[in-house]
Amino acid sequence: MPRVVHRLARRLALAAGLLLLAPVVVAHARVWLDDDAPSESAGSPAQGRLRHGHPLPPSGPGHVTYSYLGASLGRQYVHGAVRDAMLEAFAAVSAARPGRRFVVGETGHRQGGAFWPHRTHQNGLSVDIFVPLRDAAGRPADVATYPWNQLGYGIEFDAQGRRGDLAIDFDDLARLLSALDEKARPRKLRIQRIILAPEYVPLLLASPAGRALGPLSGAILRRQVWWRHDEHAHIEFALAAGAPR
Ligand SMILES: [Zn+2]
């Protein structure tokens, strides 16, 4: 190969490497540079704002971001109390279920407001979490999130929650919902609404942890919404009366 072509190829490889690395650095930098100002949520999930939103760390015990690019673009901000409840819940479930980690999807902008293409996620209290999976051997697996499957949102599961050799682990999903509820309460938060494909709700409630959901099962929406919600669960928190907004 002529020397000039060789040099060009090396520079292109370096540029491609930096391009891939930049979102990882920016996503982490958002967390490093974050302050600890108390968040303030205003309005509703469908029409709201957020003051002092905080970024979710792109990875940590029991969780990983759906996309470093999405995180670097500031699409994983939440109310600080929601962030703290989520991080504790992920760590607790993964400690109890070795090998389990949760893929966190989109949550919201730093200052809330319209969050295309979502219809809610405006006041820092809505989060998307991709469904936990198991492979044919029973090992924990993740929804694969790539640009060509709409960062995971384009993946389809069948009516039983299966896709090839992978199956949704409804028990681990129910464990996470319980843990989120448990970690939210001391923060004067509660889970107000859970959206999952309606055909999955009986499967969720029939799982061992699903049978123990108690009153939390009342927060699960039982009808189809505009998006099928087979690949992710949408969870909406609400601040309890008297809590700091
Ligand atoms: Zn959502």
PDB file of all heavy atoms in Angstrom, residues 105-107 115 118-121 126-129 153 195 226-227 229 232-236, ligand 1:
ATOM      1  N   GLY A 105     -33.630   3.199  29.295  1.00  0.00           N
ATOM      2  CA  GLY A 105     -33.912   3.909  28.047  1.00  0.00           C
ATOM      3  C   GLY A 105     -33.972   5.404  28.270  1.00  0.00           C
ATOM      4  O   GLY A 105     -33.308   5.953  29.154  1.00  0.00           O
ATOM      5  N   GLU A 106     -34.804   6.059  27.503  1.00  0.00           N
ATOM      6  CA  GLU A 106     -34.857   7.510  27.565  1.00  0.00           C
ATOM      7  C   GLU A 106     -35.651   7.962  28.791  1.00  0.00           C
ATOM      8  O   GLU A 106     -36.615   7.319  29.199  1.00  0.00           O
ATOM      9  CB  GLU A 106     -35.495   8.038  26.288  1.00  0.00           C
ATOM     10  CG  GLU A 106     -34.719   7.554  25.068  1.00  0.00           C
ATOM     11  CD  GLU A 106     -34.754   8.521  23.924  1.00  0.00           C
ATOM     12  OE1 GLU A 106     -35.829   8.705  23.342  1.00  0.00           O
ATOM     13  OE2 GLU A 106     -33.697   9.096  23.617  1.00  0.00           O
ATOM     14  N   THR A 107     -35.246   9.082  29.352  1.00  0.00           N
ATOM     15  CA  THR A 107     -35.953   9.592  30.540  1.00  0.00           C
ATOM     16  C   THR A 107     -36.448  11.019  30.315  1.00  0.00           C
ATOM     17  O   THR A 107     -37.638  11.281  30.472  1.00  0.00           O
ATOM     18  CB  THR A 107     -35.075   9.485  31.799  1.00  0.00           C
ATOM     19  OG1 THR A 107     -33.870  10.229  31.609  1.00  0.00           O
ATOM     20  CG2 THR A 107     -34.734   8.043  32.101  1.00  0.00           C
ATOM     21  N   PHE A 115     -40.404  16.151  24.639  1.00  0.00           N
ATOM     22  CA  PHE A 115     -39.332  15.157  24.521  1.00  0.00           C
ATOM     23  C   PHE A 115     -39.665  14.207  23.382  1.00  0.00           C
ATOM     24  O   PHE A 115     -40.142  13.100  23.600  1.00  0.00           O
ATOM     25  CB  PHE A 115     -39.218  14.414  25.871  1.00  0.00           C
ATOM     26  CG  PHE A 115     -38.017  13.522  25.998  1.00  0.00           C
ATOM     27  CD1 PHE A 115     -36.735  13.994  25.756  1.00  0.00           C
ATOM     28  CD2 PHE A 115     -38.159  12.203  26.402  1.00  0.00           C
ATOM     29  CE1 PHE A 115     -35.631  13.175  25.895  1.00  0.00           C
ATOM     30  CE2 PHE A 115     -37.061  11.363  26.551  1.00  0.00           C
ATOM     31  CZ  PHE A 115     -35.792  11.857  26.298  1.00  0.00           C
ATOM     32  N   HIS A 118     -41.525  10.976  22.463  1.00  0.00           N
ATOM     33  CA  HIS A 118     -42.376  10.551  23.575  1.00  0.00           C
ATOM     34  C   HIS A 118     -43.534  11.534  23.772  1.00  0.00           C
ATOM     35  O   HIS A 118     -43.408  12.710  23.476  1.00  0.00           O
ATOM     36  CB  HIS A 118     -41.556  10.464  24.865  1.00  0.00           C
ATOM     37  CG  HIS A 118     -40.359   9.591  24.735  1.00  0.00           C
ATOM     38  ND1 HIS A 118     -40.326   8.280  25.153  1.00  0.00           N
ATOM     39  CD2 HIS A 118     -39.137   9.826  24.195  1.00  0.00           C
ATOM     40  CE1 HIS A 118     -39.141   7.762  24.893  1.00  0.00           C
ATOM     41  NE2 HIS A 118     -38.399   8.674  24.305  1.00  0.00           N
ATOM     42  N   ARG A 119     -44.612  11.039  24.332  1.00  0.00           N
ATOM     43  CA  ARG A 119     -45.762  11.924  24.593  1.00  0.00           C
ATOM     44  C   ARG A 119     -45.745  12.445  26.019  1.00  0.00           C
ATOM     45  O   ARG A 119     -46.518  13.333  26.354  1.00  0.00           O
ATOM     46  CB  ARG A 119     -47.066  11.186  24.318  1.00  0.00           C
ATOM     47  CG  ARG A 119     -47.148  10.806  22.844  1.00  0.00           C
ATOM     48  CD  ARG A 119     -48.524  10.422  22.412  1.00  0.00           C
ATOM     49  NE  ARG A 119     -48.527  10.176  20.975  1.00  0.00           N
ATOM     50  CZ  ARG A 119     -49.556   9.691  20.310  1.00  0.00           C
ATOM     51  NH1 ARG A 119     -50.679   9.410  20.945  1.00  0.00           N
ATOM     52  NH2 ARG A 119     -49.483   9.494  19.009  1.00  0.00           N
ATOM     53  N   THR A 120     -44.902  11.837  26.852  1.00  0.00           N
ATOM     54  CA  THR A 120     -44.797  12.307  28.242  1.00  0.00           C
ATOM     55  C   THR A 120     -43.322  12.615  28.530  1.00  0.00           C
ATOM     56  O   THR A 120     -42.700  13.294  27.728  1.00  0.00           O
ATOM     57  CB  THR A 120     -45.382  11.256  29.218  1.00  0.00           C
ATOM     58  OG1 THR A 120     -44.720  10.011  28.995  1.00  0.00           O
ATOM     59  CG2 THR A 120     -46.875  11.083  28.995  1.00  0.00           C
ATOM     60  N   HIS A 121     -42.818  12.191  29.653  1.00  0.00           N
ATOM     61  CA  HIS A 121     -41.405  12.415  30.016  1.00  0.00           C
ATOM     62  C   HIS A 121     -41.074  13.903  30.159  1.00  0.00           C
ATOM     63  O   HIS A 121     -39.953  14.302  29.900  1.00  0.00           O
ATOM     64  CB  HIS A 121     -40.464  11.800  28.957  1.00  0.00           C
ATOM     65  CG  HIS A 121     -40.455  10.302  28.927  1.00  0.00           C
ATOM     66  ND1 HIS A 121     -39.421   9.545  29.434  1.00  0.00           N
ATOM     67  CD2 HIS A 121     -41.352   9.412  28.447  1.00  0.00           C
ATOM     68  CE1 HIS A 121     -39.681   8.255  29.255  1.00  0.00           C
ATOM     69  NE2 HIS A 121     -40.855   8.151  28.659  1.00  0.00           N
ATOM     70  N   SER A 126     -40.741  10.512  34.558  1.00  0.00           N
ATOM     71  CA  SER A 126     -41.013   9.349  33.702  1.00  0.00           C
ATOM     72  C   SER A 126     -39.693   8.709  33.272  1.00  0.00           C
ATOM     73  O   SER A 126     -38.751   9.421  32.921  1.00  0.00           O
ATOM     74  CB  SER A 126     -41.746   9.763  32.417  1.00  0.00           C
ATOM     75  OG  SER A 126     -42.925  10.471  32.686  1.00  0.00           O
ATOM     76  N   VAL A 127     -39.676   7.386  33.293  1.00  0.00           N
ATOM     77  CA  VAL A 127     -38.474   6.682  32.838  1.00  0.00           C
ATOM     78  C   VAL A 127     -38.869   5.463  32.000  1.00  0.00           C
ATOM     79  O   VAL A 127     -39.928   4.873  32.213  1.00  0.00           O
ATOM     80  CB  VAL A 127     -37.584   6.221  34.027  1.00  0.00           C
ATOM     81  CG1 VAL A 127     -37.215   7.407  34.900  1.00  0.00           C
ATOM     82  CG2 VAL A 127     -38.254   5.158  34.868  1.00  0.00           C
ATOM     83  N   ASP A 128     -38.030   5.117  31.060  1.00  0.00           N
ATOM     84  CA  ASP A 128     -38.207   3.896  30.271  1.00  0.00           C
ATOM     85  C   ASP A 128     -37.121   2.907  30.680  1.00  0.00           C
ATOM     86  O   ASP A 128     -35.942   3.273  30.731  1.00  0.00           O
ATOM     87  CB  ASP A 128     -38.044   4.177  28.771  1.00  0.00           C
ATOM     88  CG  ASP A 128     -39.230   4.916  28.176  1.00  0.00           C
ATOM     89  OD1 ASP A 128     -40.263   5.055  28.851  1.00  0.00           O
ATOM     90  OD2 ASP A 128     -39.097   5.348  27.012  1.00  0.00           O
ATOM     91  N   ILE A 129     -37.523   1.680  30.941  1.00  0.00           N
ATOM     92  CA  ILE A 129     -36.541   0.640  31.254  1.00  0.00           C
ATOM     93  C   ILE A 129     -36.818  -0.549  30.344  1.00  0.00           C
ATOM     94  O   ILE A 129     -37.962  -1.037  30.277  1.00  0.00           O
ATOM     95  CB  ILE A 129     -36.619   0.232  32.742  1.00  0.00           C
ATOM     96  CG1 ILE A 129     -36.313   1.462  33.610  1.00  0.00           C
ATOM     97  CG2 ILE A 129     -35.635  -0.904  33.035  1.00  0.00           C
ATOM     98  CD1 ILE A 129     -36.494   1.238  35.090  1.00  0.00           C
ATOM     99  N   TYR A 153     -35.777   0.429  20.759  1.00  0.00           N
ATOM    100  CA  TYR A 153     -37.222   0.674  20.738  1.00  0.00           C
ATOM    101  C   TYR A 153     -37.911  -0.004  19.541  1.00  0.00           C
ATOM    102  O   TYR A 153     -39.128  -0.145  19.527  1.00  0.00           O
ATOM    103  CB  TYR A 153     -37.507   2.183  20.714  1.00  0.00           C
ATOM    104  CG  TYR A 153     -37.302   2.875  22.054  1.00  0.00           C
ATOM    105  CD1 TYR A 153     -36.061   3.379  22.421  1.00  0.00           C
ATOM    106  CD2 TYR A 153     -38.356   3.005  22.948  1.00  0.00           C
ATOM    107  CE1 TYR A 153     -35.874   4.012  23.646  1.00  0.00           C
ATOM    108  CE2 TYR A 153     -38.181   3.634  24.171  1.00  0.00           C
ATOM    109  CZ  TYR A 153     -36.936   4.136  24.512  1.00  0.00           C
ATOM    110  OH  TYR A 153     -36.768   4.760  25.727  1.00  0.00           O
ATOM    111  N   ILE A 195     -46.591   1.346  32.311  1.00  0.00           N
ATOM    112  CA  ILE A 195     -47.163   0.948  31.020  1.00  0.00           C
ATOM    113  C   ILE A 195     -46.313  -0.174  30.429  1.00  0.00           C
ATOM    114  O   ILE A 195     -45.085  -0.040  30.271  1.00  0.00           O
ATOM    115  CB  ILE A 195     -47.244   2.133  30.031  1.00  0.00           C
ATOM    116  CG1 ILE A 195     -48.042   3.289  30.650  1.00  0.00           C
ATOM    117  CG2 ILE A 195     -47.903   1.681  28.726  1.00  0.00           C
ATOM    118  CD1 ILE A 195     -48.140   4.525  29.761  1.00  0.00           C
ATOM    119  N   TRP A 226     -50.482   4.207  22.463  1.00  0.00           N
ATOM    120  CA  TRP A 226     -49.999   4.443  21.093  1.00  0.00           C
ATOM    121  C   TRP A 226     -48.773   3.604  20.748  1.00  0.00           C
ATOM    122  O   TRP A 226     -48.555   3.280  19.593  1.00  0.00           O
ATOM    123  CB  TRP A 226     -49.713   5.939  20.911  1.00  0.00           C
ATOM    124  CG  TRP A 226     -48.518   6.407  21.700  1.00  0.00           C
ATOM    125  CD1 TRP A 226     -48.440   6.568  23.043  1.00  0.00           C
ATOM    126  CD2 TRP A 226     -47.230   6.754  21.177  1.00  0.00           C
ATOM    127  NE1 TRP A 226     -47.191   6.996  23.406  1.00  0.00           N
ATOM    128  CE2 TRP A 226     -46.430   7.122  22.281  1.00  0.00           C
ATOM    129  CE3 TRP A 226     -46.675   6.807  19.892  1.00  0.00           C
ATOM    130  CZ2 TRP A 226     -45.103   7.520  22.146  1.00  0.00           C
ATOM    131  CZ3 TRP A 226     -45.348   7.210  19.761  1.00  0.00           C
ATOM    132  CH2 TRP A 226     -44.578   7.557  20.873  1.00  0.00           C
ATOM    133  N   TRP A 227     -47.992   3.251  21.743  1.00  0.00           N
ATOM    134  CA  TRP A 227     -46.788   2.443  21.514  1.00  0.00           C
ATOM    135  C   TRP A 227     -46.988   1.104  22.176  1.00  0.00           C
ATOM    136  O   TRP A 227     -47.591   1.036  23.254  1.00  0.00           O
ATOM    137  CB  TRP A 227     -45.576   3.173  22.141  1.00  0.00           C
ATOM    138  CG  TRP A 227     -44.251   2.585  21.778  1.00  0.00           C
ATOM    139  CD1 TRP A 227     -43.574   1.628  22.468  1.00  0.00           C
ATOM    140  CD2 TRP A 227     -43.455   2.896  20.641  1.00  0.00           C
ATOM    141  NE1 TRP A 227     -42.396   1.329  21.831  1.00  0.00           N
ATOM    142  CE2 TRP A 227     -42.290   2.100  20.704  1.00  0.00           C
ATOM    143  CE3 TRP A 227     -43.585   3.778  19.556  1.00  0.00           C
ATOM    144  CZ2 TRP A 227     -41.289   2.153  19.747  1.00  0.00           C
ATOM    145  CZ3 TRP A 227     -42.584   3.827  18.612  1.00  0.00           C
ATOM    146  CH2 TRP A 227     -41.447   3.020  18.708  1.00  0.00           C
ATOM    147  N   HIS A 229     -45.091  -1.057  23.772  1.00  0.00           N
ATOM    148  CA  HIS A 229     -44.428  -1.300  25.058  1.00  0.00           C
ATOM    149  C   HIS A 229     -44.146  -2.782  25.294  1.00  0.00           C
ATOM    150  O   HIS A 229     -44.420  -3.322  26.374  1.00  0.00           O
ATOM    151  CB  HIS A 229     -45.233  -0.708  26.227  1.00  0.00           C
ATOM    152  CG  HIS A 229     -45.163   0.792  26.288  1.00  0.00           C
ATOM    153  ND1 HIS A 229     -45.955   1.607  25.530  1.00  0.00           N
ATOM    154  CD2 HIS A 229     -44.374   1.623  26.994  1.00  0.00           C
ATOM    155  CE1 HIS A 229     -45.662   2.870  25.770  1.00  0.00           C
ATOM    156  NE2 HIS A 229     -44.704   2.917  26.646  1.00  0.00           N
ATOM    157  N   HIS A 232     -40.033  -2.264  26.231  1.00  0.00           N
ATOM    158  CA  HIS A 232     -39.683  -1.507  27.442  1.00  0.00           C
ATOM    159  C   HIS A 232     -40.917  -1.252  28.291  1.00  0.00           C
ATOM    160  O   HIS A 232     -42.038  -1.276  27.792  1.00  0.00           O
ATOM    161  CB  HIS A 232     -39.000  -0.179  27.080  1.00  0.00           C
ATOM    162  CG  HIS A 232     -39.932   0.928  26.669  1.00  0.00           C
ATOM    163  ND1 HIS A 232     -40.395   1.080  25.378  1.00  0.00           N
ATOM    164  CD2 HIS A 232     -40.490   1.930  27.380  1.00  0.00           C
ATOM    165  CE1 HIS A 232     -41.186   2.143  25.326  1.00  0.00           C
ATOM    166  NE2 HIS A 232     -41.277   2.680  26.512  1.00  0.00           N
ATOM    167  N   ALA A 233     -40.664  -1.056  29.562  1.00  0.00           N
ATOM    168  CA  ALA A 233     -41.724  -0.633  30.488  1.00  0.00           C
ATOM    169  C   ALA A 233     -41.552   0.857  30.714  1.00  0.00           C
ATOM    170  O   ALA A 233     -40.423   1.344  30.878  1.00  0.00           O
ATOM    171  CB  ALA A 233     -41.608  -1.387  31.806  1.00  0.00           C
ATOM    172  N   HIS A 234     -42.674   1.580  30.666  1.00  0.00           N
ATOM    173  CA  HIS A 234     -42.659   3.020  30.957  1.00  0.00           C
ATOM    174  C   HIS A 234     -43.147   3.171  32.395  1.00  0.00           C
ATOM    175  O   HIS A 234     -44.203   2.651  32.758  1.00  0.00           O
ATOM    176  CB  HIS A 234     -43.580   3.742  29.966  1.00  0.00           C
ATOM    177  CG  HIS A 234     -43.881   5.155  30.334  1.00  0.00           C
ATOM    178  ND1 HIS A 234     -43.188   6.223  29.797  1.00  0.00           N
ATOM    179  CD2 HIS A 234     -44.796   5.681  31.176  1.00  0.00           C
ATOM    180  CE1 HIS A 234     -43.686   7.347  30.307  1.00  0.00           C
ATOM    181  NE2 HIS A 234     -44.662   7.055  31.135  1.00  0.00           N
ATOM    182  N   ILE A 235     -42.366   3.850  33.197  1.00  0.00           N
ATOM    183  CA  ILE A 235     -42.709   3.999  34.618  1.00  0.00           C
ATOM    184  C   ILE A 235     -42.790   5.484  34.951  1.00  0.00           C
ATOM    185  O   ILE A 235     -41.866   6.240  34.643  1.00  0.00           O
ATOM    186  CB  ILE A 235     -41.651   3.304  35.502  1.00  0.00           C
ATOM    187  CG1 ILE A 235     -41.604   1.814  35.149  1.00  0.00           C
ATOM    188  CG2 ILE A 235     -41.965   3.499  36.987  1.00  0.00           C
ATOM    189  CD1 ILE A 235     -40.339   1.135  35.550  1.00  0.00           C
ATOM    190  N   GLU A 236     -43.897   5.850  35.564  1.00  0.00           N
ATOM    191  CA  GLU A 236     -44.114   7.248  35.918  1.00  0.00           C
ATOM    192  C   GLU A 236     -44.201   7.372  37.425  1.00  0.00           C
ATOM    193  O   GLU A 236     -45.014   6.695  38.057  1.00  0.00           O
ATOM    194  CB  GLU A 236     -45.454   7.708  35.319  1.00  0.00           C
ATOM    195  CG  GLU A 236     -45.332   8.847  34.339  1.00  0.00           C
ATOM    196  CD  GLU A 236     -46.601   8.937  33.522  1.00  0.00           C
ATOM    197  OE1 GLU A 236     -47.658   9.198  34.105  1.00  0.00           O
ATOM    198  OE2 GLU A 236     -46.515   8.701  32.315  1.00  0.00           O
TER     199      GLU A 236
HETATM  200 ZN    ZN B   1     -41.738   6.271  28.272  1.00  0.00          ZN
END
